[in-house]
Amino acid sequence: MTTVLITGPTRGLGRATTLAMAGRPQAERPDLLLVGRPGHALTDVANEARTLGATVHEIGADLSRLADVRAAATTVREMLDAGVVRPLRALIANAGAMTADTRKASADGYEMTFAVNHLAHAQLIGDLVDVLDTPARIVLLGSNTYHANFWRRLLHVPAAEWTDPIDIARPAPGSAGVAYSNAKLAVLYYAHELQRHVGPGINVSVFEPGWMPGTALGRDTPAAVQAIGRAIARIPGVATPETSGPQLASMALDPRWAGLRDGAFVVRDRLTQVEPVAVDPERERRLWAATTELLQRRSMKY
Ligand SMILES: NC(=O)c1ccc[n+]([C@@H]2O[C@H](COP(=O)([O-])OP(=O)(O)OC[C@H]3O[C@@H](n4cnc5c(N)ncnc54)[C@H](OP(=O)(O)O)[C@@H]3O)[C@@H](O)[C@H]2O)c1
Protein backbone atom coordinates (compact mmCIF):
# COMPACT_ATOMS: atom_id res chain seq x y z
CA MET A 1 0.00 0.00 0.00
CA THR A 2 0.91 3.59 -0.25
CA THR A 3 1.11 6.96 1.40
CA VAL A 4 -1.07 9.97 0.61
CA LEU A 5 -0.16 13.54 1.57
CA ILE A 6 -3.01 15.99 2.05
CA THR A 7 -2.84 19.69 2.90
CA GLY A 8 -5.54 21.44 4.93
CA PRO A 9 -6.76 18.35 6.80
CA THR A 10 -7.92 20.28 9.85
CA ARG A 11 -11.46 21.10 8.78
CA GLY A 12 -14.05 21.14 6.04
CA LEU A 13 -13.32 19.06 2.96
CA GLY A 14 -9.75 18.17 3.97
CA ARG A 15 -10.86 16.74 7.29
CA ALA A 16 -13.66 14.72 5.70
CA THR A 17 -11.29 13.42 3.01
CA THR A 18 -8.70 12.44 5.61
CA LEU A 19 -11.26 10.49 7.61
CA ALA A 20 -12.69 8.90 4.46
CA MET A 21 -9.21 7.60 3.58
CA ALA A 22 -8.53 6.48 7.15
CA GLY A 23 -11.87 4.68 7.33
CA ARG A 24 -11.25 2.49 4.27
CA PRO A 25 -10.78 -1.27 4.67
CA GLN A 26 -7.23 -2.08 5.69
CA ALA A 27 -6.18 -3.33 2.24
CA GLU A 28 -7.16 0.02 0.68
CA ARG A 29 -6.10 2.29 3.54
CA PRO A 30 -3.10 4.52 2.81
CA ASP A 31 -0.67 5.90 5.36
CA LEU A 32 -1.39 9.59 5.77
CA LEU A 33 0.85 12.64 5.87
CA LEU A 34 -1.23 15.53 7.20
CA VAL A 35 0.21 18.94 6.36
CA GLY A 36 -1.61 21.65 8.26
CA ARG A 37 -1.24 24.53 10.67
CA PRO A 38 0.19 23.08 13.88
CA GLY A 39 -2.21 22.96 16.82
CA HIS A 40 -5.13 21.13 18.38
CA ALA A 41 -7.12 20.77 15.15
CA LEU A 42 -4.22 18.98 13.43
CA THR A 43 -3.63 16.70 16.41
CA ASP A 44 -7.35 15.98 16.74
CA VAL A 45 -7.87 14.90 13.12
CA ALA A 46 -4.66 12.84 13.25
CA ASN A 47 -5.89 11.06 16.37
CA GLU A 48 -9.32 10.49 14.87
CA ALA A 49 -7.73 8.97 11.75
CA ARG A 50 -5.53 6.74 13.95
CA THR A 51 -8.63 5.58 15.80
CA LEU A 52 -10.00 4.43 12.43
CA GLY A 53 -6.83 2.37 11.94
CA ALA A 54 -4.59 4.61 9.82
CA THR A 55 -0.89 5.25 10.29
CA VAL A 56 -0.69 9.03 10.45
CA HIS A 57 2.11 11.60 10.58
CA GLU A 58 1.39 15.23 11.40
CA ILE A 59 3.52 17.82 9.64
CA GLY A 60 2.95 21.32 10.96
CA ALA A 61 3.13 24.10 8.37
CA ASP A 62 1.50 27.45 7.81
CA LEU A 63 1.06 27.50 4.05
CA SER A 64 1.20 31.28 3.99
CA ARG A 65 4.91 30.95 4.84
CA LEU A 66 7.00 29.44 2.07
CA ALA A 67 9.74 28.64 4.59
CA ASP A 68 7.24 26.39 6.39
CA VAL A 69 6.27 24.74 3.10
CA ARG A 70 9.90 24.04 2.23
CA ALA A 71 10.52 22.66 5.72
CA ALA A 72 7.46 20.40 5.40
CA ALA A 73 8.77 19.06 2.10
CA THR A 74 12.19 18.41 3.67
CA THR A 75 10.50 16.49 6.49
CA VAL A 76 8.59 14.35 3.98
CA ARG A 77 11.75 13.62 1.98
CA GLU A 78 13.60 12.63 5.16
CA MET A 79 10.76 10.31 6.20
CA LEU A 80 10.73 8.66 2.80
CA ASP A 81 14.56 8.32 2.79
CA ALA A 82 14.47 6.76 6.25
CA GLY A 83 11.70 4.36 5.23
CA VAL A 84 9.48 5.71 8.00
CA VAL A 85 6.57 5.89 5.56
CA ARG A 86 5.52 3.77 2.62
CA PRO A 87 5.98 5.07 -0.95
CA LEU A 88 4.29 8.40 -1.62
CA ARG A 89 1.78 7.83 -4.41
CA ALA A 90 -0.64 10.74 -4.09
CA LEU A 91 -0.57 14.39 -3.11
CA ILE A 92 -3.85 16.20 -2.50
CA ALA A 93 -3.40 19.98 -2.58
CA ASN A 94 -6.60 20.71 -0.70
CA ALA A 95 -5.86 23.67 1.58
CA GLY A 96 -7.54 26.85 0.50
CA ALA A 97 -8.42 30.29 1.75
CA MET A 98 -10.47 33.26 0.62
CA THR A 99 -9.02 36.23 2.44
CA ALA A 100 -11.37 39.21 2.69
CA ASP A 101 -8.70 41.90 2.49
CA THR A 102 -6.74 41.60 -0.74
CA ARG A 103 -4.15 44.00 0.68
CA LYS A 104 -3.16 41.34 3.19
CA ALA A 105 0.24 39.82 2.43
CA SER A 106 1.65 36.39 3.14
CA ALA A 107 4.93 36.08 5.05
CA ASP A 108 6.66 36.29 1.66
CA GLY A 109 4.81 39.42 0.59
CA TYR A 110 2.21 37.88 -1.75
CA GLU A 111 -1.55 38.36 -1.83
CA MET A 112 -2.78 35.87 0.72
CA THR A 113 -5.41 33.99 -1.31
CA PHE A 114 -3.04 33.46 -4.24
CA ALA A 115 -0.23 32.55 -1.83
CA VAL A 116 -2.15 29.80 -0.03
CA ASN A 117 -4.20 28.35 -2.89
CA HIS A 118 -1.53 28.41 -5.59
CA LEU A 119 1.99 29.38 -4.55
CA ALA A 120 2.25 27.16 -1.46
CA HIS A 121 1.15 24.12 -3.43
CA ALA A 122 3.42 24.92 -6.37
CA GLN A 123 6.30 25.05 -3.89
CA LEU A 124 5.31 21.83 -2.15
CA ILE A 125 4.77 19.93 -5.39
CA GLY A 126 8.01 21.28 -6.88
CA ASP A 127 9.88 20.05 -3.82
CA LEU A 128 8.28 16.60 -3.78
CA VAL A 129 7.56 15.66 -7.38
CA ASP A 130 10.83 13.74 -7.73
CA VAL A 131 10.11 11.56 -4.69
CA LEU A 132 6.64 10.52 -5.82
CA ASP A 133 6.58 6.79 -6.47
CA THR A 134 4.98 6.15 -9.85
CA PRO A 135 2.26 5.60 -10.85
CA ALA A 136 1.36 8.63 -8.77
CA ARG A 137 -1.43 11.19 -8.68
CA ILE A 138 -1.46 14.89 -7.90
CA VAL A 139 -4.96 16.19 -7.20
CA LEU A 140 -5.43 19.96 -7.05
CA LEU A 141 -8.51 21.80 -5.77
CA GLY A 142 -10.34 23.95 -8.28
CA SER A 143 -13.55 25.93 -8.11
CA ASN A 144 -16.15 26.67 -10.74
CA THR A 145 -16.11 30.30 -9.59
CA TYR A 146 -13.37 30.87 -12.20
CA HIS A 147 -16.22 31.54 -14.66
CA ALA A 148 -19.60 33.24 -14.37
CA ASN A 149 -22.95 31.51 -14.77
CA PHE A 150 -26.56 32.45 -14.04
CA TRP A 151 -26.48 31.44 -10.36
CA ARG A 152 -23.16 33.00 -9.57
CA ARG A 153 -24.23 36.27 -11.22
CA LEU A 154 -27.42 36.17 -9.14
CA LEU A 155 -25.42 35.57 -5.96
CA HIS A 156 -22.79 38.18 -6.91
CA VAL A 157 -19.97 35.64 -6.96
CA PRO A 158 -17.40 37.22 -9.25
CA ALA A 159 -15.53 35.32 -11.94
CA ALA A 160 -11.79 35.51 -12.49
CA GLU A 161 -10.33 38.65 -14.05
CA TRP A 162 -7.00 37.31 -15.24
CA THR A 163 -4.00 39.57 -15.54
CA ASP A 164 -0.29 38.89 -15.36
CA PRO A 165 0.42 36.52 -12.42
CA ILE A 166 3.00 38.90 -10.98
CA ASP A 167 0.19 41.48 -10.64
CA ILE A 168 -2.25 38.89 -9.26
CA ALA A 169 0.34 38.04 -6.59
CA ARG A 170 0.69 41.66 -5.49
CA PRO A 171 -1.32 42.68 -2.39
CA ALA A 172 -3.56 45.58 -3.44
CA PRO A 173 -7.08 46.87 -2.84
CA GLY A 174 -9.56 44.72 -4.72
CA SER A 175 -12.35 42.17 -4.63
CA ALA A 176 -11.82 39.11 -2.44
CA GLY A 177 -14.10 37.13 -4.74
CA VAL A 178 -12.08 38.02 -7.82
CA ALA A 179 -8.85 37.15 -5.99
CA TYR A 180 -10.29 33.75 -5.07
CA SER A 181 -11.53 33.07 -8.61
CA ASN A 182 -8.17 34.15 -10.04
CA ALA A 183 -6.38 31.79 -7.65
CA LYS A 184 -8.63 28.93 -8.73
CA LEU A 185 -8.17 29.74 -12.43
CA ALA A 186 -4.43 29.68 -11.68
CA VAL A 187 -4.88 26.17 -10.28
CA LEU A 188 -6.37 25.01 -13.59
CA TYR A 189 -3.65 26.70 -15.68
CA TYR A 190 -0.97 25.33 -13.36
CA ALA A 191 -2.42 21.80 -13.55
CA HIS A 192 -2.24 21.84 -17.34
CA GLU A 193 1.34 23.10 -17.36
CA LEU A 194 2.42 20.83 -14.50
CA GLN A 195 1.34 17.79 -16.50
CA ARG A 196 3.70 18.89 -19.30
CA HIS A 197 6.63 19.04 -16.85
CA VAL A 198 6.24 15.84 -14.86
CA GLY A 199 7.15 12.36 -16.03
CA PRO A 200 4.60 10.08 -17.68
CA GLY A 201 3.98 8.17 -14.44
CA ILE A 202 2.48 11.17 -12.66
CA ASN A 203 -1.13 12.10 -13.37
CA VAL A 204 -2.41 15.59 -12.58
CA SER A 205 -6.12 16.22 -12.07
CA VAL A 206 -8.34 18.89 -10.52
CA PHE A 207 -11.27 18.26 -8.19
CA GLU A 208 -14.24 20.62 -7.68
CA PRO A 209 -16.22 19.53 -4.62
CA GLY A 210 -19.36 21.48 -5.54
CA TRP A 211 -20.51 24.51 -3.60
CA MET A 212 -20.23 23.55 0.08
CA PRO A 213 -21.89 26.51 1.82
CA GLY A 214 -21.10 26.87 5.50
CA THR A 215 -17.48 25.65 5.51
CA ALA A 216 -14.82 27.85 7.06
CA LEU A 217 -13.78 29.03 3.60
CA GLY A 218 -16.29 31.82 4.20
CA ARG A 219 -14.91 32.62 7.65
CA ASP A 220 -14.09 36.20 6.64
CA THR A 221 -17.63 36.92 5.41
CA PRO A 222 -20.23 38.62 7.64
CA ALA A 223 -21.81 36.39 10.33
CA ALA A 224 -25.24 36.63 8.66
CA VAL A 225 -23.83 35.32 5.35
CA GLN A 226 -22.16 32.44 7.20
CA ALA A 227 -25.45 31.59 8.95
CA ILE A 228 -27.28 31.52 5.61
CA GLY A 229 -24.53 29.23 4.28
CA ARG A 230 -24.97 26.82 7.18
CA ALA A 231 -28.74 26.78 6.58
CA ILE A 232 -28.33 26.07 2.83
CA ALA A 233 -25.89 23.27 3.67
CA ARG A 234 -28.76 21.37 5.28
CA ILE A 235 -30.77 21.25 2.02
CA PRO A 236 -30.68 17.71 0.60
CA GLY A 237 -28.43 17.40 -2.44
CA VAL A 238 -26.23 20.38 -1.57
CA ALA A 239 -22.56 19.37 -1.42
CA THR A 240 -20.99 19.09 2.02
CA PRO A 241 -17.54 17.96 3.19
CA GLU A 242 -19.17 14.68 4.21
CA THR A 243 -20.43 14.01 0.66
CA SER A 244 -17.48 15.47 -1.27
CA GLY A 245 -14.69 14.16 1.02
CA PRO A 246 -15.12 10.50 -0.03
CA GLN A 247 -15.20 11.65 -3.68
CA LEU A 248 -11.87 13.47 -3.26
CA ALA A 249 -10.42 10.41 -1.52
CA SER A 250 -11.59 8.36 -4.49
CA MET A 251 -9.76 10.70 -6.90
CA ALA A 252 -6.52 9.97 -5.07
CA LEU A 253 -6.98 6.24 -4.55
CA ASP A 254 -9.44 4.44 -6.78
CA PRO A 255 -8.77 2.60 -10.06
CA ARG A 256 -11.80 4.42 -11.49
CA TRP A 257 -9.76 7.63 -11.70
CA ALA A 258 -6.33 6.12 -12.48
CA GLY A 259 -6.34 7.36 -16.09
CA LEU A 260 -7.14 11.00 -15.27
CA ARG A 261 -4.37 13.36 -16.34
CA ASP A 262 -3.68 16.68 -18.10
CA GLY A 263 -5.54 18.55 -15.37
CA ALA A 264 -8.79 16.68 -16.01
CA PHE A 265 -11.55 18.43 -14.08
CA VAL A 266 -13.93 16.41 -11.92
CA VAL A 267 -16.95 18.11 -10.38
CA ARG A 268 -18.07 15.97 -7.42
CA ASP A 269 -18.01 12.61 -9.23
CA ARG A 270 -18.37 13.73 -12.83
CA LEU A 271 -15.60 14.35 -15.36
CA THR A 272 -16.38 17.81 -16.75
CA GLN A 273 -15.14 19.90 -19.65
CA VAL A 274 -13.72 23.22 -18.45
CA GLU A 275 -14.73 26.49 -20.12
CA PRO A 276 -12.49 27.66 -23.00
CA VAL A 277 -11.01 30.41 -20.78
CA ALA A 278 -9.43 27.74 -18.57
CA VAL A 279 -7.31 26.26 -21.35
CA ASP A 280 -4.71 28.75 -22.57
CA PRO A 281 -1.19 27.41 -23.23
CA GLU A 282 0.27 30.91 -23.38
CA ARG A 283 -1.15 31.92 -19.99
CA GLU A 284 -0.15 28.52 -18.63
CA ARG A 285 3.48 28.98 -19.71
CA ARG A 286 3.50 32.52 -18.32
CA LEU A 287 2.05 31.36 -14.99
CA TRP A 288 4.74 28.71 -14.75
CA ALA A 289 7.51 31.25 -15.37
CA ALA A 290 5.99 33.78 -12.97
CA THR A 291 5.49 31.12 -10.29
CA THR A 292 9.14 30.10 -10.63
CA GLU A 293 10.11 33.75 -10.20
CA LEU A 294 7.77 34.27 -7.23
CA LEU A 295 9.09 31.18 -5.48
CA GLN A 296 12.63 32.38 -6.21
CA ARG A 297 13.56 28.87 -7.18
CA ARG A 298 16.99 28.39 -8.66
CA SER A 299 15.98 25.08 -10.20
CA MET A 300 12.80 23.13 -10.48
CA LYS A 301 13.09 19.44 -9.75
CA TYR A 302 10.84 18.33 -12.61
N1 LIG B 1 -16.40 25.41 0.17
C1 LIG B 1 -16.68 25.42 -1.12
O1 LIG B 1 -17.83 25.68 -1.54
C2 LIG B 1 -15.63 25.09 -2.13
C3 LIG B 1 -15.98 25.03 -3.49
C4 LIG B 1 -15.00 24.76 -4.45
C5 LIG B 1 -13.70 24.52 -4.03
N2 LIG B 1 -13.38 24.57 -2.70
C6 LIG B 1 -11.99 24.32 -2.30
O2 LIG B 1 -11.95 23.19 -1.44
C7 LIG B 1 -10.82 23.29 -0.55
C8 LIG B 1 -11.27 23.09 0.88
O3 LIG B 1 -12.20 24.13 1.20
P1 LIG B 1 -13.17 24.07 2.47
O4 LIG B 1 -14.48 24.57 2.03
O5 LIG B 1 -13.03 22.76 3.14
O6 LIG B 1 -12.51 25.22 3.37
P2 LIG B 1 -12.17 25.27 4.95
O7 LIG B 1 -13.22 24.58 5.73
O8 LIG B 1 -11.86 26.70 5.24
O9 LIG B 1 -10.82 24.41 5.04
C9 LIG B 1 -9.64 24.94 4.47
C10 LIG B 1 -8.47 24.14 4.97
O10 LIG B 1 -7.28 24.79 4.47
C11 LIG B 1 -6.45 25.10 5.57
N3 LIG B 1 -5.67 26.33 5.42
C12 LIG B 1 -6.10 27.55 5.06
N4 LIG B 1 -5.09 28.43 5.14
C13 LIG B 1 -4.00 27.74 5.57
C14 LIG B 1 -2.66 28.09 5.86
N5 LIG B 1 -2.21 29.35 5.74
N6 LIG B 1 -1.81 27.13 6.28
C15 LIG B 1 -2.25 25.84 6.43
N7 LIG B 1 -3.50 25.45 6.16
C16 LIG B 1 -4.36 26.39 5.75
C17 LIG B 1 -7.39 25.27 6.74
O11 LIG B 1 -6.63 25.14 7.93
P3 LIG B 1 -7.03 25.93 9.31
O12 LIG B 1 -8.04 25.04 9.95
O13 LIG B 1 -5.74 26.01 10.05
O14 LIG B 1 -7.56 27.26 8.91
C18 LIG B 1 -8.36 24.14 6.49
O15 LIG B 1 -7.84 22.91 6.93
C19 LIG B 1 -10.22 24.67 -0.82
O16 LIG B 1 -9.12 24.56 -1.71
C20 LIG B 1 -11.35 25.43 -1.49
O17 LIG B 1 -10.89 26.49 -2.29
C21 LIG B 1 -14.31 24.84 -1.74
Side-chain angles (χ1 to χ4, degrees):
M1 269 308 289
T2 63
T3 298
V4 176
L5 181 155
I6 181 167
T7 65
T10 48
R11 54 173 123 193
L13 181 67
R15 188 170 194 287
T17 305
T18 299
L19 298 179
M21 292 191 286
R24 286 188 162 222
Q26 193 186 357
E28 297 172 24
R29 186 189 300 133
D31 291 350
L32 297 172
L33 298 178
L34 306 185
V35 178
R37 265 193 272 247
H40 288 304
L42 185 59
T43 306
D44 288 352
V45 69
N47 285 337
E48 212 172 317
R50 285 183 193 114
T51 304
L52 291 168
T55 298
V56 183
H57 299 273
E58 299 163 48
I59 301 175
D62 181 338
L63 299 182
S64 69
R65 309 180 67 84
L66 289 171
D68 278 21
V69 180
R70 293 180 188 117
T74 300
T75 301
V76 173
R77 296 177 74 90
E78 287 169 355
M79 289 170 118
L80 288 165
D81 280 351
V84 175
V85 288
R86 292 188 280 185
L88 182 60
R89 288 255 171 77
L91 192 157
I92 306 176
N94 161 76
M98 185 168 62
T99 308
D101 186 349
T102 57
R103 294 166 302 181
K104 193 171 170 188
S106 69
D108 308 278
Y110 303 132
E111 192 281 319
M112 192 60 114
T113 298
F114 189 71
V116 172
N117 289 277
H118 171 59
L119 291 175
H121 290 125
Q123 177 76 52
L124 187 67
I125 291 165
D127 286 352
L128 291 179
V129 74
D130 64 330
V131 293
L132 283 172
D133 192 63
T134 56
R137 305 182 197 182
I138 296 173
V139 186
L140 305 166
L141 260 291
S143 168
N144 262 332
T145 63
Y146 74 89
H147 71 100
N149 70 3
F150 172 80
W151 289 107
R152 285 190 284 279
R153 278 196 198 93
L154 193 73
L155 295 168
H156 299 287
V157 178
E161 294 174 14
W162 194 254
T163 55
D164 190 80
I166 299 292
D167 294 329
I168 289 174
R170 190 171 295 127
S175 153
V178 170
Y180 179 73
S181 295
N182 276 342
K184 290 306 187 185
L185 183 55
V187 166
L188 283 167
Y189 289 151
Y190 171 72
H192 301 152
E193 191 64 24
L194 178 63
Q195 186 68 78
R196 290 192 273 270
H197 287 258
V198 296
I202 300 177
N203 283 0
V204 182
S205 60
V206 182
F207 179 68
E208 212 294 7
W211 182 40
M212 304 180 296
T215 71
L217 195 66
R219 68 185 88 168
D220 277 4
T221 57
V225 174
Q226 294 183 47
I228 292 169
R230 285 192 294 274
I232 295 172
R234 289 196 285 273
I235 298 172
V238 171
T240 64
E242 288 67 35
T243 56
S244 298
Q247 292 164 345
L248 177 52
S250 175
M251 289 270 293
L253 293 172
D254 288 340
R256 176 186 176 194
W257 302 114
L260 279 191
R261 50 189 287 114
D262 300 325
F265 190 56
V266 173
V267 180
R268 301 178 75 170
D269 65 352
R270 198 164 41 86
L271 184 59
T272 304
Q273 191 70 37
V274 290
E275 297 294 314
V277 68
V279 181
D280 189 324
E282 198 167 314
R283 285 182 177 183
E284 290 160 7
R285 271 193 299 276
R286 173 63 195 138
L287 176 66
W288 189 268
T291 300
T292 307
E293 188 182 328
L294 292 166
L295 298 180
Q296 298 173 318
R297 300 178 65 92
R298 267 168 229 90
S299 68
M300 304 288 264
K301 293 195 174 94
Y302 301 96

